[in-house]
Amino acid sequence: MRRAAGVAALAASVLALSGCDAEGKDEIQRLAMPAPRADEVQNIYDLWHWSWLAAIIVGVVVWGLIGYAVIRFRRKSPDEVPVQTRYNLPIEIFYTVAPIMIVVVLFFFTIKVQDEVLPADPPKPDRTVEVVGQQWSWTFNYLKDDATGGETVFDSGTPADYPTLWLPVDEKVRFNLYSPDVIHSFWVPSFLFKMDVVPGRDNHFELTPNRIGTYVGKCAELCGAYHSRMLFNVKVVSADDYDAHLKQLQADGNTGLTRGTEKVRAQPGLEPEAGAER
């Protein structure tokens, strides 16, 4: 019965995997991590996979030792009393030292990737965007861009009308994060990166979007009653399209540095833009 159950479970698993579409199979290969859409985050993507490999190796070792103990030291007759061992010094040293080494190695590579993604002296960006997180929407200020003759222009939205952040492909963008009220968190899952938007603290980072497309962004910090509606879209476009959008904002009168508006608090939320990549 046990063998039959095992065979049935294996067959069901194979059947389920064979029924996955191409997108599902790709997600399995990526271990549920979104495909990276920025140059700097490839190291994060690699660290995710190596961490999974380390977890699998640890799991195999632990399960193997458990299976060995179950088989090697099983009771062979109802009257048999197993040997009572008070301690085993080599095993105790192993299960003390091994976890410490695992944590040290993971910590080392995590810090290494963090320093590569957030360098102490980053190169000069091609564009600069100030991201304003406010209860409960976003404002994007495109700071003194050459496309607008050095004038700052902005996009803003509400929970009922999600704003869209426009970015040029293959250009390094510096994101300055600002909040006029509470802590928010700027997160674009396809960029594999997020950072808190803290009042009174100048957080910033640089990313280089490397694929044209539309992506979904959101707030990843519980920031109040309508936190779940604090969504936005990201459009990665060609440099010409980006410059044209900034000029259109300038023509529409969306000029100057804007750091939040009270009207966003009273707006209901709607669904994200159709076709956006999550």
Side-chain angles (χ1 to χ4, degrees):
M1 290 295 293
R2 291 180 180 175
R3 290 181 180 177
V7 171
L10 179 61
S13 300
V14 172
L15 182 62
L17 290 176
S18 65
C20 294
D21 56 14
E23 182 178 354
K25 291 180 180 178
D26 184 56
E27 186 172 355
I28 292 173
Q29 293 174 353
R30 291 186 276 106
L31 299 175
M33 177 71 86
R37 300 306 187 204
D39 291 346
E40 294 81 356
V41 300
Q42 182 63 44
N43 293 326
I44 298 176
Y45 185 78
D46 294 339
L47 178 63
W48 170 256
H49 283 79
W50 283 108
S51 298
W52 264 98
L53 178 61
I56 291 172
I57 292 173
V58 171
V60 169
V61 171
V62 171
W63 296 329
L65 291 175
I66 292 174
Y68 171 77
V70 169
I71 296 172
R72 174 67 178 79
F73 301 106
R74 72 187 187 281
R75 176 179 288 183
K76 297 180 176 61
S77 69
D79 299 328
E80 179 183 2
V81 177
V83 177
Q84 304 300 301
T85 303
R86 297 178 61 183
Y87 64 88
N88 185 304
L89 187 58
I91 290 180
E92 292 189 13
I93 293 175
F94 173 75
Y95 70 58
T96 300
V97 173
I100 293 175
M101 294 304 299
I102 292 171
V103 170
V104 169
V105 171
L106 290 176
F107 181 79
F108 170 79
F109 284 105
T110 299
I111 294 299
K112 184 173 182 294
V113 170
Q114 178 179 292
D115 291 341
E116 292 170 348
V117 176
L118 298 172
D121 187 20
K124 183 179 179 181
D126 300 305
R127 315 275 185 160
T128 302
V129 177
E130 180 175 286
V131 177
V132 180
Q134 57 196 5
Q135 291 177 315
W136 284 275
S137 191
W138 301 87
T139 297
F140 305 116
N141 293 284
Y142 305 93
L143 301 184
K144 299 181 179 180
D145 201 281
D146 291 340
T148 58
E151 187 172 25
T152 296
V153 296
F154 68 89
D155 271 325
S156 63
T158 70
D161 183 17
Y162 298 161
T164 298
L165 171 62
W166 288 61
L167 299 174
V169 68
D170 295 329
E171 292 191 26
K172 184 176 289 294
V173 180
R174 179 186 176 100
F175 298 88
N176 297 328
L177 307 181
Y178 173 83
S179 171
D181 39 56
V182 299
I183 298 176
H184 303 280
S185 185
F186 179 75
W187 183 30
V188 181
S190 293
F191 291 167
L192 311 188
F193 189 89
K194 62 183 175 182
M195 181 175 283
D196 282 353
V197 188
V198 183
R201 180 168 180 171
D202 297 326
N203 284 346
H204 60 83
F205 64 94
E206 293 79 26
L207 289 178
T208 306
N210 57 20
R211 181 168 177 173
I212 290 176
T214 301
Y215 310 100
V216 168
K218 59 190 71 178
C219 177
E221 185 76 29
L222 182 59
C223 57
Y226 298 101
H227 157 73
S228 63
R229 300 178 182 178
M230 197 167 168
L231 307 173
F232 63 96
N233 295 304
V234 179
K235 281 187 178 294
V236 179
V237 298
S238 66
D240 291 341
D241 288 344
Y242 178 81
D243 291 341
H245 177 67
L246 265 57
K247 291 177 181 177
Q248 184 61 51
L249 291 175
Q250 186 179 37
D252 292 342
N254 290 14
T255 58
L257 184 66
T258 301
R259 288 189 160 183
T261 173
E262 288 296 324
K263 71 177 183 178
V264 299
R265 295 175 180 267
Q267 302 297 321
L270 298 176
E271 291 300 316
E273 179 178 296
E277 182 173 322
R278 298 182 182 277

